[in-house]
Amino acid sequence: MKRSDASTADDAVKLSGVVKISRQFLRSIRLDTDLGREDALSGYVCQGTASSLLESMARQIRDTRQRAFTWTGPYGGGKSSLALMLCSLVGSNRPMRDRARAILDLPPGSPVESAFAARDEGWLVIPLVGKRASVTEALAKALNAATGEASARRRAKQKQDLIADLVAAADQHPQGVLLVIDELGKFLESAAQEGDDVYFFQELAEAASRSLGKLVVVGILHQSFDAYAARLSRQARDDWAKVQGRFVDIPLVAATDEVIELVGRAIEVAPSVDRKGAEPFSKTVADAIRERRPGTPASVGAAIARCWPLHPVVASLLGPISRRRFSQNERSTFGFLASRESLGFMEYLDGHPVHWASMYGPSRYWDYLRANLEPAILASPDGHRWAVASEAVERAEAKGSPLHIELTKCVALIELFRSGSGLVPEPAVLRVCVHGSSPANVDHALNDLVSWKILIERRHLGAYGVFAGSDFDIEGAINQARGEIGTPDLQHLSALADLQPILAKRLYHETGTMRWFARRMIRLEEAEREIAALRPDRGSVGVFVLCLPDLGTAASAARNRAKRLSEEHATKRLVVGIPENAERIGELALELVACERVLKSRPELEGDSVARKELLGRIGAVRTDLEDELSDAFGLSRWFWQGEAQSTEAGGSISRLASTIAQSVYPSAPWLNSE
């Protein structure tokens, strides 16, 4: 049937001409600079999850001595915007306080009003945004800016003095002090990499609870506190978990219907566009969600309809997908909407005409995930399920028609990420996923896929699922291989490490003379034998020897041995180091070798493409992590030269350390004194 002239005219205009993403949802909040700006609050929507978070925190402040909190949630979840709202609610700017109170729409008798009551000049608000630096230095500057003290009067302080200043400010202030640390994870990453004292945060939390005044501390995170210590030893990770115990963690994870509402607000469609034809699709999906989640608001159907040209199924899954671990460090929901990645939403808008049936569907979203995020998904806890689903799609591509392929992708996508969405791949939902095919054709194609053992019927759900063609226990096989291996081969690690010479760069820049140190990596347990056979490279000043202790070796014992080795073999000009991330290197090395052993030694993998794909994805992810750890190992090491510990603090790179040592070897070279 031919389309009307009006419809043909519409086709000349692409969706990108009538669909925009609101800048309000793409603008990121920077707490320290946006505080006090009225436009930063405009358009904020305080949803039920955010209100519940504020009320939970307020009750604990009002009824207990708890004063330290962390907010944890995915990127783009509105944590910074809510923090800005809280700072505005209690700050010194009265018009901003009124504006924040109106936006939050606090009910009479709300615990937020009593816990965060602000009068006259309000609270002392200290906004701080995390960065890769010392938290004490950054906090001292933020406190200085908040109190208006002259910078000359506040020198660098010990952490005890800084905490004492905060407590004193809270005790003396008539209302309270609110310290909000956005991007707290960056300070934690710095502490993990540079060796800063993480116990500062524990002491800060304890001081806030003991303070006679109101000192409230809020840290904002994208993942759990101890996750930032993943590169440290197991004992250190346990210590970090204890520090987190001083904070009450409150998740800020928007419910599915809240994400749908926000996505609908973010997508702006020209009023002239007729999209009524898509309304039955939205109603079908909304009815399916409400049937399985009776508590879902009745307004969800209208909210889904406002997400056009996103297909209703995709709009319903964006929230659950944004909370998956593989998505945490990649992008937010609104970042996806505005991204220019292959097969992304913006590319779709640029290539499709204005028509109600032009919807970014679940099949295309599957292709987007596979093209842009498959390695990250395979390395995540969803890796096995993704491998199973991906293999099913490949089998459908080899055997079926475009309808079979599209249905398999839709079933795979919904089944992977249905948790929290209220959706399952039931026939009614699948029929609206493949526009243009009759219900009879869809049902016939589903029967084909079941008979081909690509899909299965889940009768207890009244839905379909992906046929799990693999029963190979990858985790069990890897654990068995770990026990058989014992200690990984060092040559395997050396091949992954960057063992290029270390240059004394300042010397080269100032004189043109090249001085350099060789690099070697050895096992600490075999150090005497390895060093006895070691011959410095011709022309080098000496050798930086990185010693890797076996798993379970105490850090203090390893450093003492390295110190002794550097002293006993001083004539060989050895700089001996123990990496701070040694245990992490050992764990990753053992896992990599175990995975590769399973891949080579288990013949059943030859006929199991699902398990093989999952294992290859895991090997790739572990190898990448191990290469990163090895590349950082020399910079994260404690070095010893002639029995003396060497410092690489305060910006002192490994190259600078090489220059410092070269100065002791060539003391007559005046150009080294500037190092």
Side-chain angles (χ1 to χ4, degrees):
M1 183 173 65
K2 293 185 177 180
R3 300 169 70 179
S4 66
D5 293 340
S7 178
T8 304
D10 277 349
D11 286 355
V13 181
K14 300 300 182 185
L15 285 170
S16 56
V18 296
V19 179
K20 304 295 180 188
I21 305 301
S22 171
R23 295 177 61 87
Q24 164 198 333
F25 290 90
L26 299 178
R27 181 181 184 274
S28 59
I29 293 294
R30 183 173 173 89
L31 193 60
D32 52 356
T33 57
D34 286 338
L35 183 59
R37 291 182 50 181
E38 186 172 348
D39 62 321
L41 299 184
S42 63
Y44 178 76
V45 180
C46 185
Q47 297 182 308
T49 303
S51 296
S52 297
L53 181 148
L54 290 179
E55 289 184 6
S56 174
M57 191 170 70
R59 287 193 184 94
Q60 296 187 64
I61 292 172
R62 186 187 62 183
D63 302 335
T64 72
R65 295 298 303 169
Q66 182 64 40
R67 296 290 187 272
F69 305 88
T70 51
W71 299 353
T72 306
Y75 282 92
K79 300 182 299 297
S80 297
S81 297
L82 181 61
L84 180 65
M85 198 64 57
L86 177 60
C87 291
S88 302
L89 181 68
V90 302
S92 59
N93 188 320
R94 297 186 188 185
M96 294 297 289
R97 286 206 304 259
D98 295 338
R99 180 81 184 278
R101 190 175 291 108
I103 293 173
L104 292 173
D105 192 23
L106 300 172
S110 166
V112 179
E113 284 281 17
S114 57
F116 293 104
R119 305 173 303 278
D120 302 326
E121 297 305 314
W123 292 38
L124 174 65
V125 177
I126 307 172
L128 178 60
V129 178
K131 56 184 177 180
R132 297 285 183 86
S134 168
V135 65
T136 53
E137 294 178 8
L139 181 52
K141 292 179 181 178
L143 179 58
N144 173 52
T147 57
E149 293 187 30
S151 7
R153 292 177 57 192
R154 186 176 295 280
R155 304 288 183 185
K157 293 195 172 189
Q158 297 294 324
K159 62 179 182 180
Q160 294 86 354
D161 296 333
L162 181 57
I163 292 174
D165 281 356
L166 288 168
V167 171
D171 291 346
Q172 296 166 13
H173 199 281
Q175 295 177 68
V177 173
L178 174 63
L179 168 61
V180 180
I181 309 176
D182 199 3
E183 298 288 354
L184 173 59
K186 287 189 169 63
F187 285 131
L188 298 179
E189 288 172 354
S190 177
Q193 293 183 11
E194 305 299 332
D196 283 357
D197 188 2
V198 73
Y199 287 103
F200 170 79
F201 297 102
Q202 177 175 324
E203 295 174 6
L204 177 62
E206 291 173 348
S209 298
R210 292 194 304 266
S211 173
L212 298 177
K214 270 189 181 178
L215 172 57
V216 178
V217 180
V218 177
I220 299 176
L221 297 166
H222 299 304
Q223 53 188 340
S224 66
F225 194 98
D226 59 324
Y228 293 92
R231 303 177 75 171
L232 301 181
S233 67
R234 189 173 290 105
Q235 180 181 354
R237 295 199 294 269
D238 292 341
D239 291 340
W240 276 52
K242 294 175 186 175
V243 174
Q244 185 178 23
R246 301 300 191 276
F247 293 79
V248 170
D249 185 61
I250 308 177
L252 182 59
V253 181
T256 298
D257 52 286
E258 293 177 338
V259 175
I260 292 172
E261 181 184 348
L262 288 176
V263 169
R265 290 173 180 264
I267 298 176
E268 298 178 344
V269 182
S272 59
V273 177
D274 182 7
R275 39 183 168 158
K276 289 183 179 179
E279 290 178 359
F281 292 67
S282 301
K283 183 179 185 304
T284 297
V285 173
D287 290 346
I289 292 174
R290 294 188 65 203
E291 181 179 349
R292 296 182 186 274
R293 293 179 60 203
T296 302
S299 60
V300 69
I304 290 174
R306 286 194 294 270
C307 295
W308 185 92
L310 275 183
H311 190 281
V313 168
V314 177
S316 303
L317 293 176
L318 283 181
I321 289 175
S322 72
R323 297 193 288 271
R324 312 304 288 193
R325 184 178 298 180
F326 69 83
S327 188
Q328 285 281 306
N329 296 323
E330 299 294 334
R331 64 215 71 212
S332 70
T333 296
F334 305 106
F336 158 73
L337 293 178
S339 74
R340 290 282 176 182
E341 294 166 300
S342 173
L343 301 172
F345 186 58
M346 297 304 292
E347 182 182 286
Y348 183 85
L349 297 182
D350 290 338
H352 286 75
V354 177
H355 187 260
W356 69 263
S358 295
M359 290 184 283
Y360 186 93
S363 175
R364 185 180 178 97
Y365 191 54
W366 169 272
D367 293 337
Y368 163 81
L369 291 175
R370 184 161 63 177
N372 298 285
L373 289 174
E374 184 170 59
I377 299 173
L378 284 170
S380 76
D382 294 305
H384 175 72
R385 296 169 64 232
W386 176 270
V388 170
S390 183
E391 196 267 346
V393 171
E394 290 171 2
R395 289 172 57 210
E397 290 171 340
K399 192 168 186 177
S401 67
L403 177 59
H404 293 105
I405 298 168
E406 192 170 0
L407 281 170
T408 305
K409 291 177 181 178
C410 294
V411 171
L413 185 74
I414 297 172
E415 187 174 42
L416 270 169
F417 306 115
R418 65 186 178 88
S419 178
S421 71
L423 282 179
V424 296
E426 58 186 293
V429 171
L430 294 175
R431 289 178 192 130
V432 301
C433 286
V434 285
H435 174 65
S437 296
S438 68
N441 287 340
V442 171
D443 292 343
H444 182 71
L446 288 171
N447 290 333
D448 288 341
L449 291 167
V450 171
S451 67
W452 297 339
K453 296 191 181 303
I454 293 175
L455 300 183
I456 59 172
E457 288 188 84
R458 301 193 188 280
R459 299 185 184 279
H460 65 290
L461 290 176
Y464 291 86
V466 175
F467 181 81
S470 172
D471 57 359
F472 184 77
D473 183 3
I474 289 181
E475 203 63 45
I478 291 174
N479 288 335
Q480 180 182 340
R482 283 195 186 101
E484 296 169 351
I485 292 166
T487 302
D489 181 12
L490 188 62
Q491 288 184 342
H492 202 84
L493 291 180
S494 298
L496 296 175
D498 180 13
L499 297 180
Q500 297 297 317
I502 300 170
L503 305 181
K505 293 182 181 178
R506 187 75 173 268
L507 160 66
Y508 177 74
H509 290 318
E510 294 190 358
T511 71
T513 302
M514 184 77 72
R515 297 285 185 188
W516 55 277
F517 289 76
R519 298 195 207 209
R520 295 289 187 275
M521 186 184 300
I522 67 175
R523 291 201 175 283
L524 183 61
E525 284 66 23
E526 302 172 356
E528 280 78 7
R529 180 175 60 82
E530 294 281 351
I531 290 175
L534 185 65
R535 297 291 180 269
D537 292 359
R538 184 179 179 84
S540 67
V541 177
V543 185
F544 274 73
V545 180
L546 189 73
C547 296
L548 297 178
D550 283 348
L551 287 173
T553 303
S556 57
R559 287 194 290 268
N560 288 337
R561 191 169 179 185
K563 178 180 179 181
R564 188 174 67 254
L565 288 169
S566 71
E567 188 172 17
E568 292 173 352
H569 300 278
T571 57
K572 288 196 173 185
R573 296 178 181 174
L574 302 185
V575 192
V576 184
I578 303 293
E580 298 290 335
N581 59 344
E583 186 166 346
R584 179 66 173 160
I585 290 173
E587 291 171 353
L588 288 171
L590 184 57
E591 182 172 2
L592 177 61
V593 176
C595 288
E596 291 177 341
R597 183 186 183 96
V598 170
L599 184 65
K600 294 175 182 177
S601 64
R602 301 297 288 265
E604 57 264 49
L605 287 174
E606 292 297 326
D608 192 336
S609 59
V610 172
R612 188 175 179 84
K613 181 170 187 174
E614 181 185 356
L615 187 58
L616 287 171
R618 185 161 175 173
I619 288 173
V622 173
R623 181 181 286 117
T624 299
D625 289 346
L626 181 55
E627 287 174 349
D628 291 343
E629 296 293 344
L630 289 170
S631 68
D632 292 342
F634 279 82
L636 291 174
S637 290
R638 187 75 61 87
W639 294 102
F640 298 90
W641 163 254
Q642 296 182 347
E644 298 293 332
Q646 304 297 306
S647 173
T648 55
E649 297 177 357
S653 66
I654 190 95
S655 175
R656 186 177 295 273
L657 176 58
S659 295
T660 301
I661 294 174
Q663 182 177 13
S664 66
V665 177
Y666 301 101
S668 60
W671 35 265
L672 280 173
N673 293 330
S674 61
E675 292 274 308

